[in-house]
Amino acid sequence: MTAFAPAVRDAMTALRDLFEITPLQRNDLLSQRYGADIWIKREDLTPVRSYKLRGAFNAMRKIRSARPEMRSFVCASAGNHAQGMAYACRHFGVQGTIFMPVTTPQQKIDKTRMFGGSNVEIVLTGDYFDQTLAAAQAFCTRQGALFLSPFDDADVIEGQATVAAEIMDQLGQAPDLVIVPVGGGGLSAGLTRYFAEAAPRTGLRYVEPEGGKSLAAAVAAGEPVTLSQVDSFVDGAAVARLGDLTFKALAAAEPAHVLAAPENRICGTMLEMLNVEGIVLEPAGALAIDALKDLRDEIRGRTVVCVASGGNFDFERLPEVKERSMRFEGVKKYFILRLPQRPGALREFLSLLGPDDDVARFEYLKKSARNFGSVLLGIETKQPENFTALLARLEAASFVLRDITHDESLAEILI
């Protein structure tokens, strides 16, 4: 055994100055559904509602030990890392300067300020994160401050690995499988290194959002690569490039063990955890639980731990989450309807709807002196197969529709 696992356990002990061990809870719903012994590591219950506090605290702890005179820390973040660093700054009584994009939601700014208090200064700069990051790094150069990376740092990785050490202690044995979300790779690298030393028989499965598969791309290329485009919906894990240090720990991952979760499917998992279990998860926090759907055959009869990495969810996003979940489940669709401009046409169309069909949106896109008008039509129903019957009735009545539910270009503009 190398020095990594003992160092992680030292970090875990030090963490108890900040917060109690986060719960590891057996979930009966998921265990029964998948015929497995499924546990959830509740990182959404740290003081900042994500695991990010672990890495920020550990890095700051070790820097302060080696260089007690260092009292100025900087980060660039619009999310959980900013809040974790702010909390650590207040704990150690040092000054933190946190750079955030101008477009950062006010709720995140307020929470970061609340955690850091007078020990942090928030600088809003740049419309895009790359601009914010450049400003933070330039500030470090000018002021002699230390930049605290959100994931690509050895001490941050060591701090995130405390999640694995806690799982082992709480479970009382090594789990058969651990499912971990991947963004920049700090958490997944830490767990990979710890289990490789402390429980080499424990398997790991890595889950990324479909629109941000930076680990899959890095494994395929043999080195970190920058994605040309990233879907930002799963904002806690939508990273365009895996870290260089984190990739060293993850380079040996088998491609089949790197999973991609569709963003709209994640929404359904978030809603179920909220409505059934009373667990509030952000999109990245639901990744590991959502991946159970892809691992159904593999996990049967096994002990599985899903890391719920965070619960910083803005409830103003709830309508969007519900909308995206319904679209994935096939119970809500959007169409462009070519509606004849004649008396009775609308009444005729409405008469063709089934008893479970509901018009959720009806908006004329273009109405002129021509014989037909274009209508943006949204329909909700109870079962996906209801759409098959409805479309058959509409076709028989000579109504013309174009399904744009999964047309991202049109959906972004119209929906």
Side-chain angles (χ1 to χ4, degrees):
M1 182 177 291
T2 70
F4 185 74
V8 170
R9 299 200 72 84
D10 288 344
M12 181 179 67
T13 299
L15 268 175
R16 297 291 79 87
D17 289 341
L18 265 72
F19 61 93
E20 295 296 321
I21 189 169
T22 56
L24 178 68
Q25 299 173 338
R26 188 181 189 277
N27 188 276
D28 291 338
L29 171 72
L30 298 174
S31 296
Q32 292 175 14
R33 176 179 298 167
Y34 295 104
D37 191 22
I38 296 178
W39 299 72
I40 301 178
K41 180 59 170 168
R42 297 290 304 278
E43 289 303 288
D44 58 300
L45 296 179
T46 73
V48 298
R49 296 183 58 79
S50 86
Y51 72 93
K52 287 287 190 176
L53 175 56
R54 297 174 181 270
F57 166 81
N58 190 59
M60 202 171 290
R61 174 181 73 95
K62 299 188 80 170
I63 292 165
R64 293 279 296 151
S65 177
R67 301 168 59 189
E69 77 283 358
M70 177 56 68
R71 300 186 57 81
S72 181
F73 295 84
V74 175
C75 80
S77 170
N80 293 340
H81 178 56
Q83 295 172 33
M85 191 184 111
Y87 197 99
C89 284
R90 188 174 66 176
H91 173 78
F92 287 108
V94 298
Q95 185 62 35
T97 306
I98 299 173
F99 286 75
M100 294 178 139
V102 176
T103 53
T104 302
Q106 188 63 41
Q107 179 214 36
K108 292 185 177 181
I109 298 171
D110 292 341
K111 288 186 69 176
T112 301
R113 185 175 288 115
M114 177 187 72
F115 289 131
S118 61
N119 291 98
V120 300
E121 177 186 359
I122 297 174
V123 179
L124 300 178
T125 182
D127 292 329
Y128 302 99
F129 181 74
D130 288 347
Q131 298 168 338
T132 307
L133 176 61
Q137 292 171 334
F139 178 87
C140 286
T141 301
R142 292 194 308 270
Q143 301 294 327
L146 192 142
F147 184 78
L148 192 60
S149 171
F151 49 80
D152 209 26
D153 178 278
D155 293 331
V156 169
I157 293 170
E158 182 182 280
Q160 317 303 28
T162 59
V163 172
E166 290 181 9
I167 289 172
M168 290 280 288
D169 288 354
Q170 290 170 291
L171 199 59
Q173 63 183 35
D176 296 316
L177 199 68
V178 176
I179 308 174
V180 57
V182 182
L187 178 65
S188 50
L191 267 64
T192 297
R193 290 188 60 186
Y194 188 87
F195 282 117
E197 291 187 12
R201 293 186 179 180
T202 295
L204 282 99
R205 298 296 179 269
Y206 309 97
V207 194
E208 304 179 282
E210 181 70 41
K213 298 184 288 187
S214 58
L215 175 57
V219 169
E223 61 182 1
V225 296
T226 302
L227 302 179
S228 60
Q229 189 174 356
V230 174
D231 185 332
S232 63
F233 177 76
V234 187
D235 48 0
V239 175
R241 183 183 177 91
L242 201 73
D244 293 329
L245 284 178
T246 57
F247 178 69
K248 289 181 181 180
L250 301 170
E254 296 183 25
H257 293 171
V258 182
L259 311 174
E263 281 76 5
N264 289 0
R265 191 182 74 179
I266 295 168
C267 292
T269 298
M270 292 172 63
L271 289 174
E272 180 177 59
M273 288 296 103
L274 175 62
N275 294 331
V276 180
E277 300 295 288
I279 300 175
V280 178
L281 296 176
E282 62 187 90
L287 275 171
I289 298 172
D290 185 75
L292 293 170
K293 300 178 178 73
D294 298 321
L295 297 168
R296 182 183 297 271
D297 296 335
E298 183 179 352
I299 64 177
R300 187 170 298 277
R302 307 178 75 187
T303 299
V304 180
V305 175
C306 297
V307 179
S309 60
N312 283 311
F313 177 67
D314 184 350
F315 274 81
E316 289 186 359
R317 300 178 69 185
L318 192 58
E320 179 190 5
V321 170
K322 181 180 178 182
E323 166 89 13
R324 296 183 70 141
S325 175
M326 294 178 71
R327 287 164 63 182
F328 181 83
E329 296 295 332
V331 294
K332 187 169 187 177
K333 289 182 178 290
Y334 287 92
F335 305 91
I336 299 296
L337 169 65
R338 193 165 180 254
L339 187 68
Q341 292 195 39
R342 58 172 172 77
L346 177 58
R347 185 185 304 111
E348 181 182 348
F349 165 77
L350 294 174
S351 70
L352 297 173
L353 296 176
D356 294 330
D357 302 334
D358 182 35
V359 176
R361 188 163 178 180
F362 190 94
E363 179 182 343
Y364 272 102
L365 299 178
K366 188 174 183 180
K367 185 175 181 181
S368 65
R370 287 198 258 179
N371 295 330
F372 292 88
S374 296
V375 175
L376 173 60
L377 177 67
I379 296 180
E380 297 178 5
T381 190
K382 291 185 178 180
Q383 300 294 333
E385 53 267 27
N386 290 345
F387 278 111
T388 303
L390 173 61
L391 293 176
R393 292 193 298 271
L394 292 171
E395 183 179 359
S398 299
F399 282 99
V400 178
L401 296 93
R402 176 184 173 186
D403 189 340
I404 63 167
T405 308
H406 302 293
D407 186 325
E408 294 300 328
S409 297
L410 280 178
E412 184 175 342
I413 297 171
L414 299 177
I415 303 175

